[in-house]
Coordinates of all heavy atoms in Angstrom, one line a residue:
M30 N 0.8 -1.2 0.0 CA 0.0 0.0 0.0 C 0.9 1.3 0.0 O 1.9 1.3 0.7 CB -0.9 0.0 1.2 CG -1.8 1.3 1.3 SD -2.9 1.3 2.8 CE -4.0 0.1 2.3
D31 N 0.5 2.3 -0.8 CA 1.2 3.6 -0.9 C 1.1 4.2 0.5 O 0.1 4.2 1.2 CB 0.6 4.4 -1.9 CG 1.1 5.6 -2.1 OD1 0.5 6.6 -1.4 OD2 2.0 5.8 -2.9
I32 N 2.2 4.8 0.9 CA 2.3 5.6 2.2 C 1.2 6.7 2.3 O 0.6 6.8 3.3 CB 3.7 6.1 2.4 CG1 3.8 6.6 3.9 CG2 3.9 7.4 1.5 CD1 5.2 6.8 4.3
Y33 N 0.8 7.4 1.2 CA -0.2 8.4 1.2 C -1.7 7.7 1.5 O -2.5 8.3 2.2 CB -0.2 9.1 -0.1 CG 1.0 10.1 -0.2 CD1 2.1 9.6 -1.1 CD2 1.2 11.2 0.4 CE1 3.1 10.4 -1.2 CE2 2.4 12.0 0.3 CZ 3.3 11.6 -0.5 OH 4.5 12.3 -0.6
D34 N -1.9 6.6 0.8 CA -3.2 5.9 1.1 C -3.2 5.4 2.5 O -4.2 5.5 3.2 CB -3.2 4.7 0.1 CG -3.3 5.0 -1.3 OD1 -3.9 6.2 -1.6 OD2 -2.9 4.3 -2.2
F35 N -2.1 5.0 3.0 CA -2.1 4.4 4.4 C -2.4 5.5 5.5 O -3.2 5.3 6.4 CB -0.8 3.8 4.8 CG -0.8 3.0 6.1 CD1 -1.4 1.8 6.2 CD2 -0.3 3.6 7.3 CE1 -1.6 1.1 7.4 CE2 -0.4 2.9 8.4 CZ -1.1 1.7 8.6
I36 N -1.9 6.8 5.2 CA -2.1 7.8 6.1 C -3.6 8.1 6.2 O -4.1 8.3 7.4 CB -1.5 9.2 5.6 CG1 0.1 9.1 5.7 CG2 -2.1 10.4 6.2 CD1 0.8 10.3 5.1
E37 N -4.4 7.9 5.2 CA -5.9 8.2 5.2 C -6.6 7.2 6.1 O -7.7 7.4 6.6 CB -6.5 8.1 3.9 CG -6.0 9.3 2.9 CD -6.2 10.6 3.6 OE1 -7.4 10.8 4.1 OE2 -5.3 11.5 3.4
K38 N -5.9 6.0 6.4 CA -6.6 5.0 7.4 C -6.0 5.1 8.7 O -6.5 4.3 9.6 CB -6.1 3.6 6.7 CG -6.7 3.4 5.2 CD -6.4 2.0 4.8 CE -6.8 1.8 3.3 NZ -8.1 2.3 2.9
I39 N -5.1 5.9 9.1 CA -4.5 5.9 10.4 C -5.6 6.5 11.4 O -6.1 7.6 11.3 CB -3.3 6.9 10.4 CG1 -2.2 6.3 9.6 CG2 -2.9 7.1 11.9 CD1 -1.0 7.1 9.6
E40 N -5.9 5.6 12.4 CA -6.7 6.1 13.5 C -6.2 5.8 14.9 O -6.6 6.5 15.9 CB -8.0 5.3 13.4 CG -8.8 5.7 12.1 CD -10.2 4.9 12.0 OE1 -10.6 4.2 13.0 OE2 -10.9 5.0 11.0
T41 N -5.3 4.8 15.0 CA -4.8 4.3 16.3 C -3.2 4.5 16.4 O -2.5 4.7 15.4 CB -5.1 2.8 16.5 OG1 -4.4 2.0 15.5 CG2 -6.6 2.6 16.4
K42 N -2.7 4.3 17.6 CA -1.2 4.4 17.8 C -0.6 3.2 17.0 O 0.4 3.4 16.4 CB -1.0 4.2 19.2 CG 0.4 3.8 19.6 CD 1.3 5.0 20.0 CE 2.7 4.6 20.5 NZ 3.4 3.6 19.9
K43 N -1.3 2.0 17.0 CA -0.8 0.9 16.3 C -0.7 1.3 14.6 O 0.4 1.0 14.2 CB -1.6 -0.4 16.4 CG -1.1 -1.6 15.7 CD -1.9 -2.8 16.0 CE -1.2 -4.0 15.3 NZ -2.0 -5.2 15.6
D44 N -1.7 1.9 14.2 CA -1.7 2.4 12.8 C -0.4 3.3 12.6 O 0.2 3.2 11.5 CB -2.9 3.1 12.3 CG -4.2 2.3 12.4 OD1 -4.1 1.0 12.4 OD2 -5.3 2.8 12.6
F45 N -0.3 4.2 13.5 CA 1.0 5.3 13.5 C 2.3 4.5 13.5 O 3.1 4.8 12.8 CB 0.7 6.2 14.5 CG 1.8 7.2 14.5 CD1 1.7 8.3 13.5 CD2 2.9 7.3 15.4 CE1 2.7 9.3 13.4 CE2 3.8 8.4 15.3 CZ 3.7 9.3 14.3
D46 N 2.3 3.5 14.3 CA 3.6 2.7 14.4 C 3.9 2.1 13.0 O 5.0 2.1 12.6 CB 3.5 1.6 15.5 CG 3.6 2.2 16.9 OD1 4.0 3.5 17.0 OD2 3.1 1.3 17.8
I47 N 2.9 1.5 12.4 CA 3.0 0.9 11.1 C 3.5 2.0 10.1 O 4.3 1.8 9.2 CB 1.7 0.2 10.6 CG1 1.4 -0.9 11.6 CG2 1.8 -0.2 9.2 CD1 0.1 -1.6 11.4
F48 N 2.8 3.2 10.2 CA 3.2 4.2 9.3 C 4.7 4.6 9.4 O 5.4 4.9 8.5 CB 2.3 5.4 9.6 CG 2.9 6.8 9.1 CD1 2.8 7.1 7.7 CD2 3.6 7.6 9.9 CE1 3.5 8.3 7.2 CE2 4.1 8.8 9.5 CZ 4.1 9.1 8.1
L49 N 5.1 4.7 10.8 CA 6.6 5.1 10.9 C 7.5 4.1 10.3 O 8.5 4.4 9.8 CB 6.8 5.2 12.4 CG 6.2 6.5 13.2 CD1 6.6 6.3 14.7 CD2 6.8 7.7 12.5
E50 N 7.2 2.8 10.4 CA 8.0 1.8 9.8 C 8.0 2.0 8.3 O 8.9 1.8 7.6 CB 7.4 0.4 10.1 CG 8.3 -0.8 9.5 CD 7.8 -2.1 9.8 OE1 6.8 -2.3 10.5 OE2 8.6 -3.1 9.5
M51 N 6.8 2.3 7.6 CA 6.7 2.6 6.2 C 7.6 3.8 5.8 O 8.2 3.9 4.8 CB 5.3 2.8 5.8 CG 4.4 1.6 5.9 SD 2.6 2.0 5.5 CE 2.7 2.3 3.8
L52 N 7.4 4.8 6.7 CA 8.2 6.2 6.4 C 9.7 5.8 6.5 O 10.5 6.3 5.6 CB 7.8 7.1 7.5 CG 8.5 8.6 7.2 CD1 7.8 9.1 5.9 CD2 8.0 9.5 8.4
L53 N 10.1 5.1 7.5 CA 11.6 4.7 7.6 C 12.0 3.8 6.4 O 13.0 4.2 5.8 CB 11.8 3.9 8.8 CG 13.3 3.6 9.1 CD1 14.2 4.8 9.1 CD2 13.4 2.8 10.5
N54 N 11.3 3.0 5.9 CA 11.6 2.3 4.7 C 11.6 3.1 3.5 O 12.4 2.9 2.6 CB 10.7 1.1 4.6 CG 10.9 -0.2 5.6 OD1 11.9 -0.3 6.0 ND2 9.8 -0.8 5.9
N55 N 10.7 4.0 3.5 CA 10.7 5.0 2.3 C 11.9 5.7 2.2 O 12.6 6.0 1.1 CB 9.4 5.8 2.4 CG 9.3 6.8 1.3 OD1 9.8 8.0 1.2 ND2 8.6 6.2 0.3
L56 N 12.4 6.2 3.4 CA 13.7 7.0 3.4 C 14.8 6.1 3.0 O 15.7 6.5 2.2 CB 13.9 7.5 4.8 CG 15.3 8.2 5.0 CD1 15.5 9.3 4.1 CD2 15.5 8.6 6.4
R57 N 14.9 4.9 3.5 CA 15.9 3.8 3.2 C 16.0 3.5 1.7 O 17.1 3.5 1.1 CB 15.8 2.7 4.1 CG 16.2 2.9 5.5 CD 16.0 1.6 6.2 NE 16.3 1.7 7.6 CZ 15.8 1.0 8.6 NH1 14.9 0.1 8.5 NH2 16.3 1.3 9.9
N58 N 14.9 3.4 1.1 CA 14.8 3.0 -0.2 C 14.7 4.1 -1.3 O 14.9 3.8 -2.5 CB 13.6 2.1 -0.4 CG 13.7 0.7 0.4 OD1 14.8 0.2 0.6 ND2 12.6 0.3 1.0
N59 N 14.4 5.2 -0.8 CA 14.2 6.4 -1.7 C 14.8 7.7 -1.2 O 14.2 8.8 -1.5 CB 12.6 6.6 -2.0 CG 11.9 5.4 -2.4 OD1 12.2 4.9 -3.5 ND2 11.0 4.9 -1.5
E60 N 15.9 7.6 -0.6 CA 16.5 8.8 0.0 C 16.6 9.9 -1.0 O 16.5 11.1 -0.6 CB 18.0 8.4 0.6 CG 18.6 9.6 1.4 CD 19.9 9.3 2.0 OE1 20.2 8.0 2.0 OE2 20.5 10.2 2.5
T61 N 16.9 9.6 -2.2 CA 17.2 10.8 -3.2 C 15.9 11.5 -3.5 O 15.9 12.5 -4.0 CB 17.8 10.2 -4.5 OG1 16.9 9.2 -5.1 CG2 19.2 9.6 -4.3
D62 N 14.7 10.9 -3.3 CA 13.4 11.5 -3.4 C 13.1 12.4 -2.3 O 12.1 13.2 -2.4 CB 12.3 10.4 -3.5 CG 12.4 9.7 -4.8 OD1 13.1 10.2 -5.7 OD2 11.8 8.5 -4.9
W63 N 13.8 12.4 -1.2 CA 13.6 13.3 -0.1 C 14.5 14.4 -0.1 O 15.7 14.3 -0.1 CB 14.1 12.5 1.2 CG 13.0 11.4 1.8 CD1 12.5 10.4 1.1 CD2 12.6 11.3 3.0 NE1 11.8 9.6 1.9 CE2 11.8 10.1 3.1 CE3 12.7 12.0 4.2 CZ2 11.1 9.8 4.3 CZ3 12.1 11.7 5.4 CH2 11.3 10.5 5.4
E64 N 13.8 15.5 -0.4 CA 14.6 16.8 -0.4 C 15.2 17.1 1.0 O 16.3 17.6 1.1 CB 13.6 18.0 -0.7 CG 14.3 19.3 -0.9 CD 13.4 20.3 -1.3 OE1 12.5 20.0 -2.1 OE2 13.4 21.5 -0.9
N65 N 14.5 16.8 2.0 CA 15.0 16.9 3.4 C 15.5 15.7 4.0 O 14.9 15.1 4.9 CB 13.9 17.6 4.3 CG 13.5 19.0 3.7 OD1 14.4 19.7 3.3 ND2 12.3 19.2 3.8
N66 N 16.7 15.1 3.5 CA 17.1 13.8 3.9 C 18.2 13.8 4.9 O 18.8 12.9 5.2 CB 17.5 13.0 2.7 CG 18.7 13.7 2.0 OD1 19.3 14.6 2.4 ND2 19.1 13.1 0.8
N67 N 18.3 14.9 5.7 CA 19.2 15.0 6.9 C 18.4 15.7 8.0 O 17.4 16.2 7.8 CB 20.5 15.7 6.7 CG 20.4 17.2 6.5 OD1 19.7 17.9 7.2 ND2 20.9 17.8 5.3
L68 N 18.7 15.4 9.2 CA 17.9 15.6 10.3 C 17.6 17.2 10.4 O 16.4 17.6 10.6 CB 18.6 15.3 11.6 CG 17.8 15.5 13.0 CD1 16.4 14.8 12.9 CD2 18.6 15.0 14.1
E69 N 18.6 18.1 10.2 CA 18.3 19.4 10.3 C 17.3 20.0 9.3 O 16.3 20.6 9.6 CB 19.7 20.3 10.1 CG 19.4 21.8 10.2 CD 20.7 22.6 10.0 OE1 21.8 21.9 9.8 OE2 20.6 23.8 10.2
N70 N 17.4 19.5 8.1 CA 16.5 19.9 7.0 C 15.1 19.4 7.2 O 14.2 20.0 6.9 CB 17.0 19.5 5.6 CG 18.2 20.3 5.2 OD1 18.5 21.3 5.8 ND2 19.0 19.8 4.3
Y71 N 15.1 18.1 7.7 CA 13.9 17.4 7.9 C 13.0 18.1 9.0 O 11.8 18.5 9.0 CB 14.0 15.9 8.4 CG 12.8 15.2 8.5 CD1 12.0 14.9 7.5 CD2 12.4 14.7 9.7 CE1 10.8 14.2 7.5 CE2 11.3 13.9 9.8 CZ 10.4 13.7 8.8 OH 9.3 12.9 8.9
V72 N 13.8 18.4 10.2 CA 13.0 19.2 11.3 C 12.6 20.6 10.8 O 11.5 21.1 11.2 CB 13.9 19.3 12.6 CG1 13.4 20.1 13.6 CG2 14.2 17.9 13.1
D73 N 13.5 21.2 10.0 CA 13.0 22.5 9.4 C 11.8 22.3 8.5 O 11.0 23.2 8.6 CB 14.2 23.1 8.7 CG 13.9 24.5 8.1 OD1 13.6 25.3 9.0 OD2 14.0 24.8 7.0
G74 N 11.7 21.2 7.9 CA 10.5 21.0 7.1 C 9.3 20.7 7.9 O 8.2 21.2 7.5
I75 N 9.4 20.0 9.0 CA 8.4 19.9 10.0 C 7.8 21.3 10.4 O 6.7 21.5 10.6 CB 8.9 19.0 11.2 CG1 9.0 17.5 10.8 CG2 7.8 19.0 12.3 CD1 9.6 16.7 11.8
Y76 N 8.9 22.1 10.9 CA 8.6 23.5 11.4 C 7.9 24.2 10.3 O 6.8 24.9 10.7 CB 9.8 24.1 11.8 CG 9.6 25.4 12.2 CD1 9.0 25.8 13.4 CD2 10.2 26.5 11.5 CE1 8.9 27.1 14.0 CE2 10.0 27.9 11.9 CZ 9.4 28.1 13.1 OH 9.2 29.4 13.5
G77 N 8.2 24.2 9.1 CA 7.6 24.8 8.1 C 6.3 24.5 7.8 O 5.3 25.1 7.6
F78 N 6.1 23.1 7.7 CA 4.7 22.6 7.4 C 3.8 22.8 8.5 O 2.6 23.2 8.2 CB 4.8 21.1 7.1 CG 3.5 20.5 6.6 CD1 3.0 20.9 5.2 CD2 2.7 19.8 7.4 CE1 1.9 20.3 4.8 CE2 1.5 19.3 6.9 CZ 1.1 19.5 5.7
T79 N 4.3 22.7 9.7 CA 3.3 23.0 10.9 C 2.8 24.4 10.9 O 1.7 24.8 11.3 CB 3.8 22.6 12.3 OG1 5.0 23.3 12.5 CG2 3.9 21.0 12.3
G80 N 3.7 25.3 10.4 CA 3.3 26.7 10.3 C 2.2 27.0 9.2 O 1.5 28.0 9.3
S81 N 2.0 26.0 8.3 CA 1.1 26.3 7.3 C 0.0 25.2 7.3 O -0.9 25.0 6.3 CB 1.8 26.2 5.8 OG 2.3 25.0 5.6
L82 N -0.2 24.5 8.5 CA -1.2 23.5 8.6 C -2.6 23.9 8.4 O -3.3 23.4 7.8 CB -1.1 22.8 10.0 CG -0.4 21.7 10.2 CD1 -0.3 21.2 11.6 CD2 -0.7 20.5 9.2
N83 N -2.9 25.2 9.0 CA -4.3 25.7 8.8 C -4.7 25.9 7.3 O -5.7 25.4 6.8 CB -4.4 27.0 9.6 CG -5.8 27.5 9.6 OD1 -6.7 26.7 9.8 ND2 -6.2 28.8 9.5
G84 N -3.6 26.4 6.5 CA -4.0 26.5 5.2 C -4.1 25.2 4.4 O -4.9 25.1 3.5
Y85 N -3.2 24.3 4.8 CA -3.3 22.9 4.2 C -4.6 22.3 4.3 O -5.3 21.8 3.3 CB -2.2 22.0 4.9 CG -2.2 20.6 4.4 CD1 -1.7 20.2 3.2 CD2 -2.9 19.7 5.3 CE1 -1.8 18.8 2.8 CE2 -3.0 18.4 4.9 CZ -2.4 17.9 3.7 OH -2.6 16.6 3.5
Y86 N -5.2 22.4 5.6 CA -6.5 21.8 5.8 C -7.6 22.6 5.2 O -8.7 21.9 4.7 CB -6.7 21.4 7.3 CG -5.9 20.3 7.7 CD1 -4.8 20.4 8.6 CD2 -6.2 19.0 7.2 CE1 -4.0 19.3 9.0 CE2 -5.5 17.9 7.7 CZ -4.5 18.0 8.5 OH -3.7 17.0 8.9
M87 N -7.4 23.9 5.1 CA -8.5 24.7 4.6 C -8.6 24.3 3.0 O -9.6 24.3 2.5 CB -8.2 26.2 4.7 CG -8.5 26.6 6.1 SD -8.2 28.4 6.4 CE -9.2 29.2 5.1
H88 N -7.4 24.2 2.4 CA -7.3 24.0 1.0 C -8.0 22.5 0.7 O -8.5 22.4 -0.4 CB -5.8 23.9 0.5 CG -5.7 23.5 -1.0 ND1 -6.0 24.3 -1.9 CD2 -5.1 22.4 -1.5 CE1 -5.6 23.8 -3.1 NE2 -5.2 22.5 -2.9
R89 N -7.9 21.6 1.6 CA -8.5 20.3 1.4 C -10.0 20.4 2.0 O -10.6 19.3 1.9 CB -7.6 19.2 2.3 CG -6.2 19.1 1.7 CD -5.4 18.2 2.6 NE -6.1 16.9 2.9 CZ -5.9 15.7 2.5 NH1 -5.0 15.6 1.5 NH2 -6.6 14.7 2.8
N90 N -10.5 21.5 2.3 CA -11.9 21.6 2.8 C -12.1 20.6 4.0 O -13.1 20.0 4.1 CB -12.8 21.3 1.8 CG -12.9 22.4 0.7 OD1 -12.7 23.6 1.0 ND2 -12.9 22.0 -0.6
E91 N -11.1 20.5 4.8 CA -11.2 19.6 6.2 C -11.2 20.6 7.4 O -10.3 21.5 7.5 CB -10.0 18.8 6.2 CG -10.1 17.6 5.1 CD -8.9 16.7 5.3 OE1 -8.7 16.2 6.4 OE2 -8.3 16.3 4.3
N92 N -12.2 20.4 8.1 CA -12.3 21.3 9.4 C -11.6 20.4 10.6 O -12.1 19.4 11.0 CB -13.7 21.5 9.8 CG -13.9 22.4 10.9 OD1 -13.0 23.0 11.3 ND2 -15.2 22.4 11.5
I93 N -10.3 20.8 10.8 CA -9.5 20.1 11.8 C -9.3 21.0 12.9 O -8.9 22.2 12.8 CB -8.2 19.7 11.1 CG1 -8.4 18.9 9.9 CG2 -7.3 19.0 12.1 CD1 -8.9 17.5 10.3
N94 N -9.4 20.4 14.1 CA -8.9 21.2 15.4 C -7.3 21.0 15.5 O -6.9 19.9 16.0 CB -9.7 20.5 16.6 CG -9.4 21.4 17.8 OD1 -8.5 22.3 17.9 ND2 -10.1 21.1 19.0
L95 N -6.8 22.1 15.2 CA -5.2 22.0 15.3 C -4.7 22.1 16.7 O -3.5 21.6 17.0 CB -4.7 23.2 14.6 CG -4.9 23.3 13.1 CD1 -4.3 24.6 12.5 CD2 -4.5 22.1 12.4
E96 N -5.5 22.2 17.8 CA -5.2 22.3 19.1 C -5.3 20.7 19.7 O -4.8 20.5 20.7 CB -6.0 23.2 20.0 CG -5.9 24.5 19.6 CD -4.4 25.0 19.5 OE1 -3.7 24.7 20.6 OE2 -4.1 25.8 18.6
K97 N -5.9 19.8 18.9 CA -6.0 18.5 19.4 C -5.5 17.6 18.2 O -6.3 17.0 17.4 CB -7.3 18.1 19.7 CG -7.9 18.9 20.9 CD -9.1 18.4 21.4 CE -9.6 19.1 22.8 NZ -10.7 18.7 23.4
P98 N -4.2 17.5 18.0 CA -3.7 16.7 16.9 C -4.1 15.2 17.1 O -4.2 14.6 18.1 CB -2.2 16.8 16.9 CG -1.9 17.3 18.2 CD -3.2 18.0 18.7
T99 N -4.2 14.5 15.8 CA -4.6 13.1 15.8 C -3.2 12.4 15.3 O -2.3 13.0 14.7 CB -5.6 12.8 14.9 OG1 -5.2 13.2 13.5 CG2 -6.9 13.5 15.4
W100 N -3.2 11.1 15.4 CA -2.1 10.3 14.8 C -2.0 10.5 13.3 O -1.0 10.6 12.7 CB -2.2 8.8 15.1 CG -2.2 8.4 16.5 CD1 -3.1 7.9 17.3 CD2 -1.0 8.6 17.3 NE1 -2.7 7.7 18.6 CE2 -1.4 8.1 18.6 CE3 0.4 9.0 17.1 CZ2 -0.4 8.2 19.7 CZ3 1.2 9.0 18.1 CH2 0.9 8.6 19.4
K101 N -3.2 10.7 12.7 CA -3.2 11.0 11.1 C -2.6 12.3 10.9 O -1.9 12.4 9.9 CB -4.6 10.8 10.7 CG -4.9 11.1 9.3 CD -6.3 11.0 8.9 CE -6.5 11.5 7.5 NZ -8.0 11.4 7.0
M102 N -2.9 13.4 11.7 CA -2.3 14.6 11.5 C -0.8 14.6 11.7 O 0.0 15.1 10.8 CB -2.9 15.6 12.5 CG -2.4 17.0 12.3 SD -2.9 18.3 13.5 CE -4.7 18.2 13.3
I103 N -0.3 13.9 12.7 CA 1.2 13.8 12.9 C 1.8 13.0 11.7 O 2.8 13.5 11.3 CB 1.4 13.0 14.2 CG1 0.8 13.9 15.4 CG2 2.9 12.9 14.4 CD1 0.9 13.3 16.7
A104 N 1.2 12.0 11.3 CA 1.7 11.4 10.1 C 1.9 12.2 8.9 O 2.8 12.2 8.2 CB 0.8 10.0 9.9
T105 N 0.7 13.0 8.7 CA 0.7 14.0 7.6 C 1.8 15.0 7.6 O 2.4 15.1 6.7 CB -0.7 14.7 7.5 OG1 -1.7 13.8 7.3 CG2 -0.7 15.7 6.4
I106 N 2.1 15.4 8.9 CA 3.2 16.4 9.1 C 4.6 15.7 8.8 O 5.3 16.2 8.0 CB 3.2 16.9 10.5 CG1 2.0 17.8 10.7 CG2 4.4 17.7 10.8 CD1 1.8 18.1 12.2
L107 N 4.7 14.4 9.2 CA 6.0 13.8 9.0 C 6.3 13.5 7.5 O 7.5 13.6 7.1 CB 6.1 12.5 9.8 CG 6.1 12.7 11.4 CD1 6.2 11.4 12.1 CD2 7.3 13.7 11.8
V108 N 5.3 13.1 6.9 CA 5.4 12.7 5.5 C 5.6 14.0 4.6 O 6.5 14.1 3.6 CB 4.3 11.8 4.8 CG1 3.1 12.6 4.5 CG2 4.8 11.0 3.7
A109 N 5.0 15.0 5.0 CA 5.0 16.3 4.2 C 6.5 16.9 4.4 O 7.1 17.6 3.5 CB 4.0 17.3 4.6
A110 N 7.0 16.8 5.6 CA 8.3 17.3 5.8 C 9.4 16.8 5.0 O 10.6 17.5 5.0 CB 8.7 17.1 7.3
R111 N 9.2 15.7 4.4 CA 10.3 15.1 3.6 C 10.7 16.1 2.4 O 11.8 16.2 2.1 CB 9.7 13.8 2.8 CG 9.4 12.7 3.8 CD 8.8 11.5 2.9 NE 7.9 11.9 2.0 CZ 7.3 11.2 1.0 NH1 7.9 9.8 0.9 NH2 6.5 11.5 0.2
N112 N 9.7 16.9 2.0 CA 10.0 17.9 0.8 C 9.6 19.2 1.1 O 9.6 20.0 0.2 CB 9.4 17.3 -0.4 CG 10.0 15.9 -0.8 OD1 11.1 15.8 -0.9 ND2 9.1 14.9 -0.9
H113 N 9.0 19.6 2.3 CA 8.6 20.9 2.5 C 9.8 21.8 2.8 O 10.7 21.5 3.6 CB 7.6 20.9 3.7 CG 6.8 22.2 3.7 ND1 7.3 23.3 4.4 CD2 5.6 22.5 3.2 CE1 6.5 24.2 4.4 NE2 5.3 23.9 3.6
E114 N 9.7 23.0 2.2 CA 10.7 24.0 2.5 C 10.4 25.0 3.5 O 9.3 25.3 3.8 CB 11.1 24.9 1.2 CG 11.6 24.1 0.0 CD 11.9 24.9 -1.1 OE1 11.8 26.1 -1.1 OE2 12.1 24.2 -2.2

């Protein structure tokens, strides 16, 4: 299953753990596809994406409470940070 498809199914901590394994394998197998493939750039990508979360969810027409993150939201942040500037 594609990592993006799996994110849509995340509801539990166990789902998130499976996602993390998928994300790690994605990095190991596709490092060149990751613009932010070192820790400093990746954390900067997380920071940048979380700063634009409201706009991200508005663009998707999703009403999300940013003050109560879900496992799915955290997974979205982590996968987006691979290439977010």
Side-chain angles (χ1 to χ4, degrees):
M30 176 179 288
D31 177 270
I32 197 167
Y33 295 103
D34 293 335
F35 190 79
I36 287 175
E37 296 304 317
K38 300 179 182 325
I39 295 175
E40 294 182 11
T41 66
K42 164 99 171 41
K43 183 176 180 177
D44 295 337
F45 184 74
D46 290 341
I47 293 167
F48 161 79
L49 285 177
E50 183 176 7
M51 291 175 74
L52 186 66
L53 182 57
N54 287 331
N55 185 268
L56 173 61
R57 288 177 176 154
N58 297 322
N59 305 298
E60 183 177 355
T61 58
D62 293 342
W63 284 51
E64 184 175 321
N65 299 325
N66 61 6
N67 68 52
L68 183 58
E69 181 179 359
N70 291 344
Y71 186 68
V72 172
D73 189 50
I75 291 171
Y76 177 70
F78 187 73
T79 57
S81 61
L82 264 181
N83 192 41
Y85 171 80
Y86 285 112
M87 283 178 59
H88 178 73
R89 294 173 50 101
N90 294 319
E91 292 184 42
N92 187 13
I93 301 291
N94 182 350
L95 297 179
E96 299 304 317
K97 294 186 178 186
T99 63
W100 292 117
K101 180 179 175 180
M102 183 188 298
I103 296 167
T105 299
I106 293 166
L107 294 179
V108 80
R111 297 177 314 168
N112 297 305
H113 194 276
E114 294 180 12

